Amino acid sequence: MNVAGFIFLLSLHLGVFQIGYGRNASTRPAVVNIGAMFNFDSIIGRVAKIAIDEALKDVNSNSSILKGTKLSVTLQDTNCNGFLGMVEALRYMATDVVAIIGPQCSVVAPIISHVASELRVPLLSFAATDPTLSSLQFPFFVRTAQSDLYQMTAVADIIDHYGWKEVIAIFIDDDWGRNGVSALNDKLAERRCKISYKVGIQPDSSVTQGAIMDILVKVALMQSRIVVLHLNQIVGFKVFSVANHLGMMGNGYVWIATDWLSLVLDSESPLPSETMDKIQGVLTLRQHTTDSDRKRAFFARWNRIIGGSPQLNAYGLYAYDTVWLLAHSLDAFFNQGGVISFSNDSRISSMAGSALHLEAMSIFDDGVLLLKNILLSDFVGLTGPLKFNSDRSLILPAYDIINVLGTGIRQIGYWSNYSGLSTVSPETLYTKPQNRSSANQKLYSVIWPGETLSKPRGWVFPNNGKLLRIGVPNRVSYKEFVSQVRGTDMFKGFCIDVFTAAVNLLPYAVPYKFISFGDGRKNPSYTELVNKITTGEFDAVVGDIAIVTNRTRIVDFTQPYVSSGLVIVAQLEKERSGAWAFLQPFSRRMWIVTGSFFLIVGIVVWILEHRINDEFRGPPKQQVITILWFSFSTMFFAHSK
């Protein structure tokens, strides 16, 4: 090899090495642009804006996290409007942002997610809880709070814990509300429960009290008394106001509100007394955040900054942690040689010159690498561990279960995906083996609507339900089993008592009415009564009806509750066995009487036999022995002559 060839190869080797080295040790930019979009005038938005600002101060003042690179966040107000959200997202894409914090509302997220996926810009939402957003359709959408899939699982576990089988769901009729209730229906079905009636409400604040009253009047006619509210705070409090006016916040009703209610209670406490009076006994859920010194210190810092309203809530904590999660991900991104660069989309370039200026949007070249680092995040924030599972959801989802009581709230327990319902904090249970047995599902006592501690039955006989027609024989004999109360349509007797007791044990309503069969002057034909079921005149019959072969061929019988025939009388107490066990069936007095009878029989036989039978003669001692032997042997075998 000549000298020129060697120099060429050496130069090529050094050039390739320098290119590879430059990729692995990328130059960190001075500023990284990030977007944030949410509703500034909402409870979540007011808190999130302050929390994001505080997180930016902490990140940019910490030299160990991004090593000189500063985060710059541009805020945009979408007002939870899908159209405005899309417009603001397109504006972001023209400013070379590497990630967007938000959106807040689930109805905006799908629209923006399509844009983000095409331009490879990760979305980190701290408040969009629609469970369908975790689908593979939105690969660049990352939820930094808990999904409503887990919240609905918690609601289903509460309903199953109290033994209720049917619920009514009232929800906001948009993607967030419909998808949340759909998840609830699936989770209830897994526990052999169901939504018996569901109704959507207009998804804006213009819904009138008259429209809500029409809905609640229909709910009052239903069988179930378990109502789940998946609404926003404006519509939710309107529902409670109308329900209170209709007397539906009293005994027998159960109201379960999703975390929109706890959000208001945490952010605007104390609420006016007239508002609190309308939600007494309601159960609600709150996203659980780990109790820690850092969290308590941030609450104290928040109170110093704000000095009043708005108060910090769980979504504010998640917004703060989202900024830190993005900072950690960018740090790992730069350590791996990631470069912040953008390229034009050839599909959009052909539209250059249009009034929309779509050509200004560009693709984030290393967006996939940044997304990968976001999903590999593993650190502890104010809310607890921030780590994602294979479904891009946060690990260890948990909720606080809250009972509205008096002028405040009372926590009655926790729900976690690890252990279900418990009165012990999830962090304590994480250190123990997983145990979701029914015996471990516990909650503290609840003050239900109507200020009662007794668990509501959860159902009533519906006013609009079809009554079962129960045929009852009008007997003239053996009236203890079944008989008609004179001058009324009511029946009484042992069979009626058994039937009503069985109906009362059911976890749902069975409306029925008794119909007399027979003229009351003679006992009716039971075979004819049973045949009335097959003709559709009766839905069932109740009475002292014998189970015979020809009847079992046309109808089904319950288990017999009155039996007759041979029975065995056995002692319940277990006696010790031994050599004298044969004496146990009879009492001591019975054995004395039995022995006396045998002795008398022996004496009578001696009187009759000693004159003609040589075996009954002899000395007096021998004759006494013969009498006793004859008496004793009579108990064990029969004598013959």
Side-chain angles (χ1 to χ4, degrees):
M1 180 181 295
N2 55 25
V3 177
F6 175 77
I7 294 174
F8 172 76
L9 291 176
L10 180 63
S11 301
L12 180 63
H13 173 74
L14 292 175
V16 172
F17 176 76
Q18 288 177 357
I19 292 173
Y21 178 78
R23 178 66 176 171
N24 291 330
S26 64
T27 303
R28 292 175 179 249
V31 178
V32 175
N33 294 321
I34 298 169
M37 50 199 313
F38 46 87
N39 184 3
F40 292 175
D41 195 31
S42 65
I43 292 179
I44 294 177
R46 289 194 294 269
V47 173
K49 187 175 185 299
I50 301 171
I52 290 174
D53 288 341
E54 293 304 309
L56 280 175
K57 294 177 184 177
D58 293 343
V59 169
N60 289 333
S61 62
N62 191 329
S63 59
S64 65
I65 181 64
L66 283 174
K67 301 176 178 64
T69 299
K70 303 296 183 181
L71 294 183
S72 176
V73 177
T74 304
L75 302 178
Q76 295 290 351
D77 186 2
T78 63
N79 198 28
C80 281
N81 182 283
F83 175 73
L84 293 179
M86 179 182 65
V87 172
E88 297 300 341
L90 294 176
R91 290 178 58 184
Y92 273 139
M93 301 309 174
T95 59
D96 294 343
V97 297
V98 299
I100 297 176
I101 298 176
Q104 170 189 331
C105 301
S106 296
V107 294
V108 182
I111 302 171
I112 302 177
S113 293
H114 286 296
V115 178
S117 297
E118 292 295 330
L119 301 180
R120 303 174 193 168
V121 176
L123 291 177
L124 290 85
S125 178
F126 57 87
T129 56
D130 182 350
T132 62
L133 293 173
S134 298
S135 67
L136 298 177
Q137 183 183 8
F138 309 115
F140 277 78
F141 178 85
V142 181
R143 195 194 327 266
T144 58
Q146 299 298 346
S147 167
D148 276 341
L149 175 66
Y150 300 112
Q151 180 170 207
M152 294 309 175
T153 305
V155 173
D157 277 346
I158 293 172
I159 292 169
D160 184 54
H161 174 71
Y162 289 110
W164 300 316
K165 295 300 180 184
E166 295 184 3
V167 303
I168 295 171
I170 303 177
F171 59 94
I172 287 293
D173 196 6
D174 58 14
D175 289 343
W176 170 74
R178 287 190 297 270
N179 293 333
V181 170
S182 178
L184 174 62
N185 193 42
D186 292 341
K187 294 302 178 181
L188 287 173
E190 292 175 4
R191 292 153 180 80
R192 297 184 178 181
C193 307
K194 67 176 182 178
I195 297 177
S196 59
Y197 180 70
K198 60 182 178 180
V199 57
I201 296 182
Q202 189 175 343
D204 55 50
S205 58
S206 62
V207 60
T208 64
Q209 288 194 340
I212 294 176
M213 183 171 292
D214 291 340
I215 291 172
L216 292 185
V217 167
K218 293 179 181 179
V219 169
L221 296 175
M222 299 296 167
Q223 167 182 312
S224 176
R225 285 294 182 262
I226 315 300
V227 185
V228 177
L229 298 182
H230 190 45
L231 306 168
N232 58 42
Q233 59 268 20
I234 298 175
V235 179
F237 281 104
K238 286 184 178 181
V239 169
F240 281 130
S241 178
V242 175
N244 189 72
H245 175 72
L246 295 175
M248 298 174 66
M249 299 299 297
N251 287 336
Y253 279 92
V254 175
W255 294 84
I256 302 175
T258 51
D259 63 349
W260 65 267
L261 180 56
S262 66
L263 176 66
V264 177
L265 294 171
D266 289 342
S267 304
E268 299 183 353
S269 181
L271 295 178
S273 58
E274 58 270 19
T275 301
M276 293 299 297
D277 290 341
K278 296 174 182 177
I279 58 175
Q280 292 297 301
V282 175
L283 294 183
T284 184
L285 289 87
R286 177 206 290 142
Q287 296 207 31
H288 176 75
T289 55
T290 304
D291 188 24
S292 64
D293 293 337
R294 285 185 59 202
K295 177 181 169 182
R296 287 190 290 270
F298 189 77
F299 266 92
R301 171 182 167 187
W302 182 276
N303 293 331
R304 289 195 303 270
I305 296 172
I306 305 304
S309 181
Q311 299 175 38
L312 185 59
N313 55 50
Y315 288 102
L317 296 174
Y318 278 115
Y320 180 91
D321 281 350
T322 300
V323 177
W324 273 96
L325 185 147
L326 187 54
H328 282 286
S329 302
L330 283 169
D331 190 48
F333 171 82
F334 291 134
N335 289 336
Q336 296 170 9
V339 176
I340 300 210
S341 62
F342 297 85
S343 59
N344 294 328
D345 190 339
S346 59
R347 296 169 297 177
I348 300 178
S349 300
S350 60
M351 301 179 185
S354 67
L356 296 176
H357 299 291
L358 297 176
E359 70 277 3
M361 293 189 299
S362 54
I363 297 174
F364 180 20
D365 295 328
D366 277 345
V368 175
L369 179 61
L370 178 58
L371 175 65
K372 178 182 176 182
N373 282 286
I374 290 173
L375 296 176
L376 291 176
S377 298
D378 187 4
F379 71 100
V380 178
L382 295 181
T383 58
L386 271 82
K387 185 178 180 180
F388 297 95
N389 58 24
S390 58
D391 295 330
R392 305 198 312 278
S393 298
L394 290 177
I395 63 170
L396 305 177
Y399 286 84
D400 302 332
I401 303 174
I402 296 168
N403 183 203
V404 180
L405 181 63
T407 59
I409 60 177
R410 172 174 169 264
Q411 186 166 332
I412 62 169
Y414 305 88
W415 177 90
S416 69
N417 200 41
Y418 182 80
S419 57
L421 302 174
S422 72
T423 55
V424 181
S425 67
E427 289 74 25
T428 302
L429 296 175
Y430 294 151
T431 61
K432 302 177 181 179
Q434 187 174 14
N435 187 348
R436 298 204 61 166
S437 64
S438 57
N440 278 3
Q441 304 300 296
K442 298 178 181 178
L443 292 174
Y444 290 121
S445 59
V446 178
I447 306 297
W448 303 101
E451 298 183 357
T452 177
L453 282 170
S454 301
K455 184 198 77 172
R457 183 168 59 174
W459 59 268
V460 294
F461 292 107
N463 294 327
N464 60 348
K466 180 182 177 182
L467 298 176
L468 291 178
R469 295 166 297 176
I470 309 296
V472 182
N474 189 0
R475 295 188 56 89
V476 296
S477 61
Y478 295 107
K479 292 188 176 183
E480 293 80 5
F481 285 106
V482 59
S483 64
Q484 187 171 3
V485 179
R486 187 185 297 255
T488 69
D489 294 332
M490 300 173 60
F491 287 83
K492 64 179 181 179
F494 178 72
C495 297
I496 301 300
D497 293 341
V498 172
F499 175 79
T500 54
V503 169
N504 290 335
L505 289 175
L506 295 175
Y508 48 84
V510 180
Y512 62 89
K513 64 177 179 179
F514 291 132
I515 300 176
S516 176
F517 180 75
D519 55 14
R521 293 188 293 270
K522 61 179 180 179
N523 292 334
S525 169
Y526 280 16
T527 300
E528 184 180 350
L529 174 60
V530 170
N531 287 332
K532 293 290 185 180
I533 299 177
T534 61
T535 61
E537 185 172 339
F538 294 143
D539 296 309
V541 296
V542 174
D544 53 333
I545 303 170
I547 304 175
V548 295
T549 303
N550 62 332
R551 295 174 185 170
T552 58
R553 291 171 180 167
I554 57 175
V555 297
D556 292 326
F557 284 86
T558 64
Q559 288 293 323
Y561 49 86
V562 175
S563 60
S564 62
L566 297 176
V567 296
I568 298 175
V569 179
Q571 202 168 25
L572 292 178
E573 296 182 3
K574 185 177 180 182
E575 301 287 351
R576 289 182 292 179
S577 61
W580 299 97
F582 69 92
L583 296 175
Q584 294 178 2
F586 296 152
S587 64
R588 181 180 301 176
R589 182 179 299 178
M590 186 63 182
W591 279 115
I592 294 173
V593 172
T594 302
S596 301
F597 273 111
F598 283 124
L599 186 60
I600 292 172
V601 170
I603 294 173
V604 172
V605 172
W606 175 81
I607 293 173
L608 297 175
E609 294 289 334
H610 82 282
R611 291 177 296 176
I612 58 177
N613 192 338
D614 294 339
E615 294 182 2
F616 287 85
R617 294 179 182 177
K621 181 180 179 181
Q622 181 178 350
Q623 294 185 43
V624 171
I625 293 174
T626 300
I627 292 173
L628 294 175
W629 172 253
F630 187 87
S631 300
F632 180 77
S633 61
T634 302
M635 291 187 294
F636 298 99
F637 60 89
H639 294 271
S640 62
K641 188 173 180 180

